[in-house]
Amino acid sequence: MPNILFICTANQFRSPLAAAYLSFKLQYANTPGDWQVSSAGTWTKNGLSAHSKAIELADEFQLDLRSHQSRETNPEVLNDADLILVMEQGQKESLCAEFPQACPRIQLLSQISSKYAGDIPDPASNNFDDARLITSSIIKTIDGNIEKITELGLLSAKSRV
């Protein structure tokens, strides 16, 4: 069972939205096999709710983040993941420095795209002015690269068996 983990800073907007959307896409496309898709945060504590703006924007895509609870990134969470997709280059660098064994499985989400767009910024740092644009960027990146994401997840899962 491939396990894909999305990571952002607080695990209250970008990563839970990305995880919910990829889960939806995998189910909608009847992707074969059992997939586990989850999220975590690099600078958070366990049990926080998704941000209200994330819940509102997720609703527009028929995604439900109301029951989301934030989760701290830790060795166990990273060890369970076959593919780890982060939102910012700094997150990748920090995780690779702190958890070098996970580094080969960590990718910047936007770098999966042939149209590399850099970091997917945290809406909290912009007072949520750009939250809709950030949501759209996450959705488009997953939509345009779902085959590559699933291929990377499957390859990584097979190599870890």
Side-chain angles (χ1 to χ4, degrees), residues 73-124:
T73 300
N74 61 46
E76 295 79 32
V77 169
L78 293 173
N79 189 51
D80 288 345
D82 298 308
L83 176 62
I84 302 162
L85 298 169
V86 298
M87 302 294 157
E88 300 175 30
Q89 183 64 32
Q91 292 163 346
K92 180 178 179 179
E93 292 167 2
S94 295
L95 289 169
C96 284
E98 189 172 350
F99 307 100
Q101 74 284 0
C103 195
R105 294 175 281 124
I106 301 172
Q107 303 245 356
L108 185 62
L109 176 60
S110 64
Q111 281 185 323
I112 286 180
S113 171
S114 60
K115 299 174 185 171
Y116 174 64
D119 290 348
I120 297 173
D122 189 345

Side-chain angles (χ1 to χ4, degrees), residues 5-161:
L5 174 66
F6 287 93
I7 294 180
C8 69
T9 305
N11 191 221
Q12 292 181 286
F13 192 101
R14 295 171 293 173
S15 59
L17 181 72
Y21 189 69
L22 180 61
S23 292
F24 168 78
K25 292 295 284 189
L26 291 170
Q27 290 174 353
Y28 180 77
N30 291 319
T31 305
D34 293 324
W35 290 81
Q36 183 174 350
V37 182
S38 62
S39 65
T42 57
W43 192 259
T44 192
K45 61 182 182 178
N46 290 326
L48 300 174
S49 300
H51 190 279
S52 60
K53 190 70 172 175
I55 292 170
E56 174 189 323
L57 290 167
D59 282 346
E60 294 178 17
F61 292 92
Q62 288 76 51
L63 305 172
D64 185 4
L65 295 182
R66 284 172 186 77
S67 63
H68 172 76
Q69 297 287 298
S70 64
R71 179 170 67 149
E72 294 175 299
T73 300
N74 61 46
E76 295 79 32
V77 169
L78 293 173
N79 189 51
D80 288 345
D82 298 308
L83 176 62
I84 302 162
L85 298 169
V86 298
M87 302 294 157
E88 300 175 30
Q89 183 64 32
Q91 292 163 346
K92 180 178 179 179
E93 292 167 2
S94 295
L95 289 169
C96 284
E98 189 172 350
F99 307 100
Q101 74 284 0
C103 195
R105 294 175 281 124
I106 301 172
Q107 303 245 356
L108 185 62
L109 176 60
S110 64
Q111 281 185 323
I112 286 180
S113 171
S114 60
K115 299 174 185 171
Y116 174 64
D119 290 348
I120 297 173
D122 189 345
S125 64
N126 297 323
N127 295 323
F128 288 90
D129 292 339
D130 295 326
R132 187 173 303 283
L133 182 62
I134 291 164
T135 299
S136 177
S137 177
I138 292 168
I139 300 290
K140 286 179 183 178
T141 301
I142 292 171
D143 277 343
N145 300 284
I146 189 135
E147 293 85 12
K148 189 169 184 182
I149 292 169
T150 55
E151 180 182 314
L152 288 169
L154 285 168
L155 287 172
S156 184
K158 287 178 184 175
S159 71
R160 297 181 69 210
V161 173

